[in-house]
Amino acid sequence: MQPKVIATDAALQLIEQLKAKYGPLMFHQSGGCCDGSSPMCYPQGEFMIGDSDVLLGEIGGCPFYMHAAQYEYWKHTQLIIDVVPGRGGMFSLEGSEGIRFLTRSKVLDS
């Protein structure tokens, strides 16, 4: 079975930098609203995970969640977390690093 979420080498490198700065981290795939639809990185425990959040897996040793309603649309895809130049979401830890996390995807084989 293929993992539901993976990260590029560049993303893993940024995760390690952020872990060195902030300690253990967690991710939640934003479903829109303030910061668009992007992976949001928080210190572990700073984002309230609820009964309607799905744990997709881990990237860089950090749990990665998505809301269950959003997961219904994405359940047949693999999320590929990457980084690109630009300013991250205002609530996401990489916001001041000059690069931001980005979600790419591919359809999973059945």
Side-chain angles (χ1 to χ4, degrees):
M1 191 161 136
Q2 296 178 48
K4 292 284 191 176
V5 62
I6 61 172
T8 65
D9 289 342
L12 292 172
Q13 184 177 19
L14 178 55
I15 290 167
E16 289 305 313
Q17 289 176 309
L18 295 173
K19 286 191 327 190
K21 203 177 214 182
Y22 299 104
L25 305 174
M26 63 180 290
F27 285 85
H28 193 277
Q29 178 66 39
S30 172
C33 187
C34 303
D35 288 312
S37 183
S38 60
M40 303 295 286
C41 180
Y42 302 100
Q44 196 159 23
E46 280 214 9
F47 184 86
M48 183 74 80
I49 298 300
D51 293 340
S52 58
D53 288 305
V54 176
L55 176 63
L56 298 183
E58 290 188 353
I59 55 171
C62 307
F64 194 103
Y65 297 90
M66 176 184 280
H67 191 276
Q70 186 178 8
Y71 178 71
E72 279 303 307
Y73 293 106
W74 292 85
K75 66 184 173 186
H76 300 296
T77 62
Q78 180 180 63
L79 302 184
I80 304 157
I81 307 307
D82 199 359
V83 294
V84 294
R87 189 161 168 83
M90 63 189 269
F91 301 114
S92 192
L93 291 177
E94 85 282 4
S96 63
E97 300 295 321
I99 54 179
R100 64 184 182 90
F101 289 109
L102 175 78
T103 301
R104 303 179 193 281
S105 64
K106 74 174 188 173
V107 176
L108 289 169
D109 298 329
S110 303

